[in-house]
Amino acid sequence: DSKLNYYATNRKLDPNKPMVALTFDDGPDPKRTIKLLEILKKHDAVATFFDIGSLMEKYPEIVKKEIEAGCDVGGHTYSHVNLNSLSQVQVKEEISKVKGAFKSATGLDLKYLRPTYGNANSKVREVAEIPIINWCIDSLDWKHRNADKVIEEIRKTKNFDGKIILMHVIYDSTLEAVDKFIPQLQSEGYQIVTISEMAEYKGY
């Protein structure tokens, strides 16, 4: 559904060419998110950020910059809590608060949720009210903390078309990996897309 886009962009994508979505959890980070946006701009690429509500409140100007860069932004809960461990009332409150933080920062309605650790049991799914977006490929960047090893981990998957890659914006090694990896993907014919572009073109 093209209405999933936050606003219309003039990006031209070829529906016949492969697409991959890079996603980044745990921001916004005052230094690294800005640096990552610069890396994306350098390579004419976009990404999807799953930001923590309490940090959106702290750094609303960075959330705005993510949107202005043509990226998608989803919520990564308000306080980075495991939603599966909460009562239904508490889950509703976590999701409501991250929606509120995004609305306050951007004036827009939050359209995606990525639960912490990818945990979303039936109770969470019942109250989410917005699409839950997890991932296909885990870069394990939190474990490796080394750019080449992060790329090596991702490359254990051979075909990235239609895939969502999980990374975290809080590691310098991840930014280094992204700066190396995006040109590799582009040289292999992949278009780097947002979650909403993937939904629109792949029909998910």
Side-chain angles (χ1 to χ4, degrees), residues 62-107:
I62 300 179
V63 184
K64 277 186 243 175
K65 285 183 188 296
E66 292 169 345
I67 296 290
E68 286 162 6
C71 295
D72 273 352
V73 182
H76 193 43
T77 75
Y78 179 79
S79 57
H80 204 265
V81 67
N82 178 356
L83 294 178
N84 284 2
S85 69
L86 303 182
S87 70
Q88 197 166 56
V89 170
Q90 290 170 321
V91 171
K92 276 185 177 176
E93 185 182 6
E94 271 287 321
I95 296 173
S96 175
K97 283 173 77 175
V98 73
K99 285 178 176 178
F102 182 73
K103 182 85 169 181
S104 178
T106 66

Side-chain angles (χ1 to χ4, degrees), residues 21 44 46 67 76-77 84-85 94 138 140-141 145 171 177 182:
D44 193 24
V46 291
I67 296 290
H76 193 43
T77 75
N84 284 2
S85 69
E94 271 287 321
D138 188 346
L140 298 181
D141 56 346
R145 310 287 181 94
Y171 306 117
I182 288 177

Side-chain angles (χ1 to χ4, degrees), residues 5 10 17 32-33 40-42 47 59 61-62 67 76 78-79 92 110 121 125 135 155 182-183 194-195 197-198:
N5 286 285
N10 57 5
K17 286 187 177 174
R32 295 182 184 93
T33 300
L40 292 170
K41 185 177 180 183
K42 177 172 82 170
Y59 306 111
E61 70 287 351
I62 300 179
I67 296 290
H76 193 43
Y78 179 79
S79 57
K92 276 185 177 176
L110 190 72
N121 58 21
R125 293 196 300 272
W135 57 86
R155 283 203 174 277
I182 288 177
T194 63
I195 289 295
E197 287 171 336
M198 185 80 86

Side-chain angles (χ1 to χ4, degrees), residues 1-32:
D1 183 350
S2 61
K3 293 192 181 86
L4 288 172
N5 286 285
Y6 284 113
Y7 63 94
T9 69
N10 57 5
R11 276 165 49 79
K12 301 283 185 232
L13 295 171
D14 185 340
N16 300 310
K17 286 187 177 174
M19 299 178 188
V20 60
L22 307 180
T23 67
F24 297 90
D25 289 5
D26 292 355
D29 180 290
K31 290 180 183 172
R32 295 182 184 93

Side-chain angles (χ1 to χ4, degrees), residues 82-159:
N82 178 356
L83 294 178
N84 284 2
S85 69
L86 303 182
S87 70
Q88 197 166 56
V89 170
Q90 290 170 321
V91 171
K92 276 185 177 176
E93 185 182 6
E94 271 287 321
I95 296 173
S96 175
K97 283 173 77 175
V98 73
K99 285 178 176 178
F102 182 73
K103 182 85 169 181
S104 178
T106 66
L108 300 167
D109 292 324
L110 190 72
K111 297 195 176 181
Y112 308 109
L113 175 71
R114 172 171 283 169
T116 313
Y117 317 115
N119 286 349
N121 58 21
S122 58
K123 173 181 61 184
V124 174
R125 293 196 300 272
E126 249 176 61
V127 302
E129 295 180 341
I130 52 176
I132 291 171
I133 310 291
N134 279 334
W135 57 86
C136 312
I137 301 167
D138 188 346
S139 68
L140 298 181
D141 56 346
W142 57 271
K143 179 181 177 183
H144 295 307
R145 310 287 181 94
N146 174 285
D148 292 332
K149 285 189 174 166
V150 168
I151 294 171
E152 189 181 314
E153 186 68 41
I154 295 169
R155 283 203 174 277
K156 287 179 181 175
T157 300
K158 302 304 177 194
N159 181 359

